[in-house]
Amino acid sequence: SDMEAFLDLGGWNLLGRIFLVWLLVVLVLWAGKRALALRTLRKMKKLSEPDTGTAAALTDSLCREMGVRRRIRVFRSHLAGSPFLAGYFRPVIFLPPDMQDEWELTSVLRHEIRHWKGGDLWWREAVRLLVAAANLAIACWIPLRIIRDWSVYETLYKEK
């Protein structure tokens, strides 16, 4: 029928092509978001000051204590409303400039180093990719449902 010819396009059926387009769109959106995050991180590093005092020494000490071999740098920034870890290959902890108490610094730095040690940045990225794929899958479901309904209609009700 006409519908079968429409759905079978030279070995690659329409659903297969839609899946490939969907996958490409998910990857392009994810890559664009990652590029923006990388650009933001670079700008934030430029606008921040590397900590060479207590926080840097505490970070090095805690990394040795926790068995983390990768050097984690610490930056102070007025842009950091709260402490956070960034960087997949060269980790950086951003701290607000007013965070000076040694007990608070130790607790916060230990927390952020645990994020690095547990691979939380990578897990979060995997979840983001899955969420992007799921959201796009929902958006694709509607046209696929229309195509399926059209196929059923043509098969069952079209006069021959």
Side-chain angles (χ1 to χ4, degrees), residues 10 18 72 105 140:
I18 289 173
I72 300 177
L105 275 173
C140 289

Side-chain angles (χ1 to χ4, degrees), residues 47-66:
L47 296 171
S48 303
E49 295 181 22
D51 188 294
T52 55
T54 308
L58 271 172
T59 301
D60 292 341
S61 171
L62 288 169
C63 283
R64 279 192 301 277
E65 177 186 317
M66 296 170 71

Side-chain angles (χ1 to χ4, degrees), residues 11-125:
W12 277 90
N13 67 17
L14 181 63
L15 297 181
R17 288 180 184 203
I18 289 173
F19 172 75
L20 288 177
V21 168
W22 167 80
L23 185 62
L24 182 64
V25 169
V26 166
L27 292 176
V28 166
L29 290 174
W30 175 79
K33 191 164 185 162
R34 293 299 90 222
L36 179 64
L38 183 60
R39 197 168 76 210
T40 303
L41 179 61
R42 285 182 182 155
K43 282 189 177 197
M44 193 156 176
K45 277 184 183 178
K46 285 181 182 178
L47 296 171
S48 303
E49 295 181 22
D51 188 294
T52 55
T54 308
L58 271 172
T59 301
D60 292 341
S61 171
L62 288 169
C63 283
R64 279 192 301 277
E65 177 186 317
M66 296 170 71
V68 174
R69 289 181 284 197
R70 175 88 46 168
R71 182 169 182 261
I72 300 177
R73 297 184 347 173
V74 179
F75 280 81
R76 297 278 184 165
S77 175
H78 65 281
L79 299 172
S82 62
F84 68 93
L85 173 70
Y88 296 99
F89 300 105
R90 289 180 290 178
V92 177
I93 297 174
F94 287 96
L95 297 173
D98 59 347
M99 187 177 285
Q100 300 295 333
D101 180 58
E102 191 171 335
W103 183 88
E104 183 182 21
L105 275 173
T106 303
S107 300
V108 165
L109 291 171
R110 185 180 305 274
H111 173 86
E112 297 303 333
I113 293 168
R114 278 193 191 128
H115 279 305
W116 173 257
K117 190 172 179 181
D120 293 354
L121 291 175
W122 292 100
W123 284 111
R124 185 177 62 197
E125 202 57 46

Side-chain angles (χ1 to χ4, degrees), residues 3 146-158:
M3 186 61 175
I146 292 168
I147 290 169
R148 190 194 73 191
D149 290 349
W150 181 29
S151 175
V152 169
Y153 170 78
E154 191 170 88
T155 304
L156 295 176
Y157 301 109
K158 190 172 182 185

